[in-house]
Amino acid sequence: FMFEVYFGLLIFLGYMVYDTQEIIERAHHGDMDYIKHALTLFTDFVAVLVRILVIMLKNASDKSEEKKRKKRS
């Protein structure tokens, strides 16, 4: 499961880099639709943020389980 989350995070970071480069190229050629460009980057950012939150929640639950095990011993 964690491999899929980290791999998804890597994929969406790549999308952010690709979309940023595409926005720069389009702006260079005269496409100044900044609202569409901002929405593209926003959707990429949300996807990355969701995966980071999943990773953080998983790590927090692992730490709390470890503390419970130590208390039982």
Side-chain angles (χ1 to χ4, degrees):
F1 173 72
M2 288 307 288
F3 173 75
E4 292 173 0
V5 174
Y6 282 110
F7 187 69
L9 178 63
L10 184 65
I11 293 293
F12 277 104
L13 286 173
Y15 281 149
M16 285 182 76
V17 171
Y18 175 77
D19 285 342
T20 302
Q21 186 64 31
E22 187 177 355
I23 289 169
I24 291 170
E25 287 296 319
R26 285 183 180 185
H28 181 69
H29 292 292
D31 181 10
M32 295 297 181
D33 187 9
Y34 56 88
I35 294 175
K36 183 177 83 173
H37 299 165
L39 286 175
T40 301
L41 287 178
F42 180 74
T43 55
D44 291 341
F45 176 74
V46 169
V48 168
L49 182 65
V50 166
R51 278 151 184 83
I52 289 174
L53 288 175
V54 167
I55 291 169
M56 290 174 63
L57 287 172
K58 176 69 174 153
N59 289 339
S61 75
D62 288 347
K63 286 183 182 182
S64 67
E65 283 183 26
E66 187 177 317
K67 284 182 181 181
K68 287 179 184 179
R69 283 188 210 141
K70 286 183 180 181
K71 286 183 180 180
R72 290 179 190 166
S73 298

